[in-house]
Amino acid sequence: MLLLWGKYVRKYYLRYLIFFILGVAALITVDYFQLEVPEILGQIVDKLQSQGSIDVSSEWFTSLIIRVVVIAVILFAGRVIWRLSLFYASKKMEEKIRLAMYEKAEKLDIFYYQDNKVGNVMNWFTNDLETLEEFLGWGSLMMIDGVFLTVIALVKMFILNTALALIALVPILLIAVWGALCEKYMGIKWTARQESNDDLYDYSQESFTGIRVIKAFVKETQQIHAFSKMALKNADINVEFTKISVIFDVIIEVIIAAVAATILGFGGWFAYGCINGAPIYIAGKPILIKTGELITFTGYFFHLVWPMIALGQVVTMLSKARSSYRRIANFLDTPETLIDEENGLEIQAKGDIEFKDFSFTFPNQKFPSIKHITLKINQGENVGIVGAVGCGKSTLVNTLVRLYNVEKNKIFIDGIDIMKIKIQSVRNNVAITPQDNFLFSDSIFNNIAFSNIDSSMDKVKRAAQFASVDEDIEQFTNKYDSVMGENGHTVSGGQKQRISIARAYVKNAPILILDDSVSAVDMKTEKSILNSIKEERKGKTTLVVASRISTVMDMDKIIILKDGELEAFDTPVNLLKTNKTFIRMHSLQQLEEEMAK
């Protein structure tokens, strides 16, 4: 069937039905009136043949000119209307599908993006969606125009001359059979092309993101060679698809040309016999056709050439669109794992956090990253989290912002199971500076005010002062209006961390998580930030994941993790007396400080 009717597009046919109806009506009108032109030409030829000349001042000629002008106006208006209507509808459908895809992308968990690279997803949003829009716009036009113009022309041709009309049917039948044979194979080749584009997009995205590393290790030539191989493979696949597409089109044009030659040959023979008074007989019946009628019939046929070519192109477009639609539909059909429970709760948290025998295992991993954690953090406490690399520190705090699903009755905020709280409500009550400290390619002001873009300059400056980054920002040429490069590449690692802290501070959430967010700052700046936490977040809960023991020494309590298990949870003073791991970490820190003097 020459129609794309998946569940993610058919609802939009109804939504924009008025535009499709208007466009189709205008297109049919254009198809009908453009077939008046061959009739006019036939009448002129017959007039010339019978009279030898035409009196341009005659009433017949005047009415003919008026008729031509009316047809021209109708064709002009109709073509404007169907272009505006059909292309508007197709662009709006593309817009709505892209919006649905973006909303879907935001709802999918982080594991999805570990399995599907950014380049793949971007290709779905661009190349595949554009292929879909092309079919919804041009494809719909060609399909409707091809069908209705073919039907109207054939009816007129059969009325004019049945024998020649039967000959004209041949290319339509052959094109239909040829299209059915090729459509599926072309779809397979288009899918292979798009998958190759996925690889190319992904490699390009990774290369541009890691351009500093590539340059630092002088690997430009190596990357270029690798890209060249991938691009060559992509080119080969594209050429293969293009060859098939061209062969398909050439065969269609050969069929049309052969039938056109046949019609002209037989039509001329029939007309010649009719003119000489010796008509050609077929099945005992004379074939009577005048010269003007042959001109008209030929005009009808050549009006059929476009829809026949168009129907062939629709087959190519449809095979591409179906392949691209399947990729988009697979993305939109991806189940959402992070969803609210029915009757989920909205809360205004105070800041109590409790883990009860909490364990967590990442998907596709055999062993848990967090094992049997039981502890309680009271409202207003400042708690440090330390441990060796890979012990589960970031995993533990990320569960508090529902980046993952967890078992029920294992994590509680203010005594309420986190799985019973709406995800948005959980995240509204928790501010976090992630370990990767991602910054947007935007102004410093907008990065800090990200959680509340309506924040005043005073509020943003206060956040920057809290994070000890205000003085640095004031040194920039455009100060808070300075635009940072992709992911904050135009600022230092320490500035990047402190801007991220300021962004979290602006949210003024009852629970603040700093995930290794002061590792790139000096000891003096670190102390200033920690003092700000103590002074300005009284009564609010703060969790600080740290790689340095000095970062957490003044915390109310410290969590020590080892291989995903809770080794200790106590005050720094008590830990220095009872916990060997903490004592050793403290001793190593002191030794480093002594050596640095």
Side-chain angles (χ1 to χ4, degrees):
M1 182 174 67
L2 293 177
L3 188 63
L4 201 62
W5 197 249
K7 62 181 178 180
Y8 295 113
V9 294
R10 60 176 175 241
K11 59 183 177 182
Y12 298 117
Y13 286 127
L14 183 61
R15 181 177 298 184
Y16 299 108
L17 184 61
I18 183 65
F19 295 101
F20 280 107
I21 291 175
L22 186 62
V24 170
L27 196 56
I28 294 173
T29 302
V30 168
D31 288 343
Y32 179 82
F33 278 95
Q34 69 180 341
L35 290 175
E36 295 280 297
V37 176
E39 293 179 11
I40 293 172
L41 290 174
Q43 291 173 13
I44 293 173
V45 170
D46 284 340
K47 200 79 171 177
L48 286 170
Q49 189 175 19
S50 62
Q51 298 181 359
S53 64
I54 295 175
D55 183 3
V56 296
S57 62
S58 66
E59 183 179 343
W60 177 84
F61 188 77
T62 302
S63 64
L64 191 70
I65 294 299
I66 293 173
R67 184 181 175 190
V68 169
V69 172
V70 170
I71 291 172
V73 171
I74 292 173
L75 293 181
F76 174 79
R79 283 169 178 161
V80 169
I81 291 170
W82 67 247
R83 277 177 168 83
L84 291 176
S85 300
L86 291 178
F87 291 153
Y88 174 81
S90 67
K91 284 295 181 184
K92 292 298 291 184
M93 290 173 73
E94 178 191 17
E95 173 195 332
K96 296 300 181 184
I97 296 171
R98 179 175 277 114
L99 179 60
M101 291 174 68
Y102 188 81
E103 290 174 347
K104 183 70 174 186
E106 288 189 321
K107 293 176 183 177
L108 295 174
D109 59 49
I110 59 176
F111 300 120
Y112 181 84
Y113 297 102
Q114 292 173 358
D115 296 333
N116 297 273
K117 296 181 179 180
V118 175
N120 297 10
V121 178
M122 290 305 298
N123 196 27
W124 303 336
F125 272 82
T126 53
N127 209 325
D128 283 306
L129 200 51
E130 288 168 5
T131 300
L132 199 62
E133 188 277 331
E134 179 188 40
F135 177 77
L136 294 173
W138 281 107
S140 298
L141 159 67
M142 291 178 176
M143 180 177 60
I144 295 166
D145 194 34
V147 170
F148 283 99
L149 185 56
T150 299
V151 171
I152 296 170
L154 283 175
V155 169
K156 288 179 174 288
M157 290 165 77
F158 271 100
I159 292 173
L160 194 61
N161 192 285
T162 304
L164 289 178
L166 289 172
I167 296 174
L169 273 177
V170 173
I172 298 173
L173 297 175
L174 290 176
I175 289 170
V177 173
W178 179 239
L181 292 173
C182 291
E183 190 269 333
K184 187 174 182 180
Y185 182 70
M186 292 177 72
I188 294 172
K189 290 299 180 182
W190 181 257
T191 299
R193 175 190 181 276
Q194 294 299 79
E195 288 174 353
S196 176
N197 281 345
D198 287 349
D199 295 337
L200 203 60
Y201 270 61
D202 189 58
Y203 189 86
S204 301
Q205 184 269 332
E206 282 190 346
S207 296
F208 289 130
T209 302
I211 191 67
R212 290 187 173 188
V213 177
I214 293 170
K215 288 181 176 292
F217 285 87
V218 198
K219 291 296 181 181
E220 294 93 337
T221 303
Q222 175 180 303
Q223 293 296 108
I224 289 171
H225 285 319
F227 182 83
S228 297
K229 289 181 181 178
M230 197 170 291
L232 183 60
K233 178 183 176 183
N234 181 267
D236 290 341
I237 293 174
N238 273 275
V239 168
E240 187 176 355
F241 177 83
T242 303
K243 282 180 179 179
I244 297 169
S245 181
V246 168
I247 290 171
F248 180 80
D249 291 340
V250 167
I251 290 177
I252 287 176
E253 292 185 16
V254 168
I255 293 171
I256 293 171
V259 175
T262 303
I263 288 175
L264 288 172
F266 277 97
W269 183 33
F270 296 156
Y272 181 78
C274 184
I275 292 170
N276 291 332
I280 307 302
Y281 284 81
I282 295 179
K285 294 183 179 180
I287 306 298
L288 304 175
I289 185 168
K290 298 178 181 178
T291 305
E293 290 176 341
L294 178 61
I295 296 295
T296 300
F297 188 94
T298 305
Y300 290 154
F301 178 79
F302 283 110
H303 272 85
L304 274 179
V305 171
W306 152 246
M308 284 188 285
I309 292 174
L311 288 173
Q313 292 178 352
V314 166
V315 172
T316 301
M317 283 187 182
L318 181 61
S319 64
K320 290 159 58 177
R322 281 179 173 168
S323 173
S324 291
Y325 174 77
R326 280 192 293 269
R327 287 155 56 86
I328 291 172
N330 287 338
F331 172 69
L332 291 172
D333 284 336
T334 303
E336 297 168 17
T337 57
L338 291 175
I339 56 176
D340 292 323
E341 283 193 352
E342 191 175 353
N343 302 318
L345 302 174
E346 294 275 359
I347 66 167
Q348 182 56 53
K350 296 178 181 178
D352 290 333
I353 301 170
E354 186 174 7
F355 294 89
K356 290 185 178 179
D357 193 30
F358 172 62
S359 298
F360 180 80
T361 304
F362 284 101
N364 303 321
Q365 288 191 1
K366 295 182 179 179
F367 305 104
S369 299
I370 299 293
K371 308 168 190 174
H372 308 292
I373 301 288
T374 299
L375 59 87
K376 183 174 183 181
I377 300 169
N378 297 315
Q379 175 188 351
E381 286 187 329
N382 296 325
V383 177
I385 304 175
V386 297
V389 175
C391 68
K393 302 187 294 295
S394 294
T395 302
L396 184 67
V397 295
N398 283 337
T399 59
L400 293 174
V401 285
R402 280 295 306 277
L403 292 182
Y404 322 116
N405 283 325
V406 298
E407 289 184 61
K408 293 183 179 180
N409 299 316
K410 296 295 182 180
I411 302 177
F412 299 85
I413 295 178
D414 292 350
I416 304 172
D417 181 6
I418 196 172
M419 294 300 292
K420 293 182 179 179
I421 306 171
K422 290 183 177 180
I423 295 173
Q424 186 173 356
S425 183
V426 171
R427 293 173 182 172
N428 282 337
N429 285 279
V430 180
I432 185 170
T433 60
Q435 200 171 29
D436 59 4
N437 294 303
F438 182 87
L439 298 179
F440 296 94
S441 299
D442 202 344
S443 67
I444 294 175
F445 179 93
N446 286 341
N447 268 282
I448 294 177
F450 183 71
S451 63
N452 183 7
I453 204 64
D454 295 324
S455 298
S456 65
M457 176 58 78
D458 288 340
K459 187 174 182 180
V460 169
K461 283 180 69 68
R462 184 70 203 94
Q465 290 165 0
F466 171 88
S468 295
V469 73
D470 177 61
E471 291 184 6
D472 296 60
I473 296 172
E474 291 292 341
Q475 298 300 316
F476 297 149
T477 303
N478 296 317
K479 299 182 179 181
Y480 283 85
D481 290 327
S482 300
V483 176
M484 294 182 290
E486 185 179 2
N487 196 17
H489 283 163
T490 55
V491 295
S492 69
Q495 290 168 338
K496 189 174 176 181
Q497 284 189 334
R498 284 176 283 158
I499 291 171
S500 296
I501 293 172
R503 177 171 60 192
Y505 175 82
V506 165
K507 193 173 180 180
N508 195 29
I511 299 172
L512 172 64
I513 299 172
L514 305 182
D515 187 0
D516 203 17
S517 299
V518 291
S519 59
V521 303
D522 56 65
M523 301 292 287
K524 181 181 178 182
T525 305
E526 177 189 89
K527 188 174 182 180
S528 174
I529 295 171
L530 296 175
N531 286 338
S532 295
I533 291 173
K534 277 191 172 184
E535 293 171 7
E536 300 189 33
R537 286 192 54 82
K538 290 179 181 178
K540 297 177 181 177
T541 305
T542 303
L543 306 182
V544 179
V545 177
S547 56
R548 290 196 298 245
I549 199 70
S550 61
T551 307
V552 298
M553 280 304 297
D554 292 331
M555 295 285 160
D556 297 317
K557 291 180 182 177
I558 297 174
I559 297 171
I560 299 177
L561 296 179
K562 183 178 181 181
D563 297 329
E565 297 180 336
L566 179 63
E567 183 176 328
F569 177 49
D570 210 335
T571 63
V573 174
N574 289 338
L575 288 173
L576 280 173
K577 297 176 182 177
T578 60
N579 186 265
K580 292 181 180 179
T581 300
F582 191 75
I583 293 170
R584 182 172 59 82
M585 292 173 68
H586 183 259
S587 299
L588 289 172
Q589 182 75 43
Q590 287 183 320
L591 181 60
E592 287 179 5
E593 291 175 2
E594 288 293 329
M595 292 178 66
K597 291 180 180 179

